[in-house]
């Protein structure tokens, strides 16, 4: 069973919560229908632009009204390992934004490739910048803020040890 090489979190643990079957998913899932069609069209355009700027990566979004007890970090880890996204890139290339519009919480999960460029401090900063939009239930703005911040972080020069 795969586990995270950094924190040793095991897929078998989240499989017990979310299931062990692979699931086919769109890159943008809005199970709560929180984004209107105009916002969705703009978002699809932004996602295509992101993938043109960073052809080795893809950005996915999952929005749902989940029980407050649902850990978005665990859900994100499970999706990175179990979902089959509608992307030609592997899940190792994924940046996944999970939003619980019931508890007003959000989390970013990464495949192995973006993990090399976005550390916990970067993820915390990205989500902090987007938090006001989450509090106001402005999900389109929340996603745009996260995409803008991720783009900024990815464009920063790498520090060489």
């Amino acid at each position: 069973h795969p586990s995270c090489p950094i924190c040793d979190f095991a897929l078998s643990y989240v499989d017990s919560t979310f299931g062990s079957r692979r699931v086919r998913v769109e890159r943008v899932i809005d199970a709560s229908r929180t984004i209107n069609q105009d916002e969705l069209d703009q978002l699809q355009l932004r996602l295509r632009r992101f993938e043109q700027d960073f052809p080795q990566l893809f950005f996915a979004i999952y929005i749902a009204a989940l029980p407050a007890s649902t850990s978005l970090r665990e859900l994100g880890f499970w999706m990175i390992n179990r979902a089959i996204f509608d992307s030609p890139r592997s899940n190792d290339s994924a940046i996944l934004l999970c939003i619980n519009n019931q508890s007003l919480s959000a989390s970013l999960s990464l495949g192995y490739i973006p993990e090399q460029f976005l550390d916990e401090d970067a993820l915390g900063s990205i989500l902090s910048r987007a938090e006001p939009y989450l509090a106001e239930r402005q999900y389109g703005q929340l996603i745009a803020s996260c995409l803008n911040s991720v783009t900024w972080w990815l464009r920063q020069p790498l520090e060489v040890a």
Side-chain angles (χ1 to χ4, degrees), residues 41-80:
D41 292 343
Q42 286 295 317
L43 178 56
Q44 296 290 2
L45 183 65
R46 291 182 67 106
L47 291 175
R48 279 194 296 279
R49 207 170 322 132
F50 177 85
E51 291 171 13
Q52 288 170 348
D53 290 348
F54 304 101
Q56 69 278 30
L57 303 175
F58 74 93
F59 198 101
I61 298 128
Y62 180 79
I63 306 170
L66 301 166
S69 61
T70 304
S71 165
L72 291 182
R73 288 179 71 115
E74 291 176 7
L75 176 62
F77 179 81
W78 180 82
M79 287 184 76
I80 292 284

Side-chain angles (χ1 to χ4, degrees), residues 25-29 43 47 50-51 53-62 75-77 79-81 83 85-87 89-99 107-119 122-123 126-127 143 145-155:
V25 295
E26 302 284 322
R27 271 183 282 184
V28 178
I29 298 173
L43 178 56
L47 291 175
F50 177 85
E51 291 171 13
D53 290 348
F54 304 101
Q56 69 278 30
L57 303 175
F58 74 93
F59 198 101
I61 298 128
Y62 180 79
L75 176 62
F77 179 81
M79 287 184 76
I80 292 284
N81 285 280
F85 290 95
D86 63 342
S87 171
R89 296 160 189 88
S90 79
N91 287 13
D92 289 345
S93 303
I95 300 170
L96 173 63
L97 173 63
C98 291
I99 302 168
S107 178
L108 282 163
S109 300
L110 306 174
Y112 292 122
I113 294 171
E115 267 183 358
Q116 300 172 52
F117 306 101
L118 298 167
D119 61 15
L123 298 180
I126 292 163
L127 291 170
I143 295 164
S145 174
C146 287
L147 268 167
N148 290 340
S149 294
V150 164
T151 298
W152 183 86
W153 278 97
L154 290 172
R155 287 191 171 135

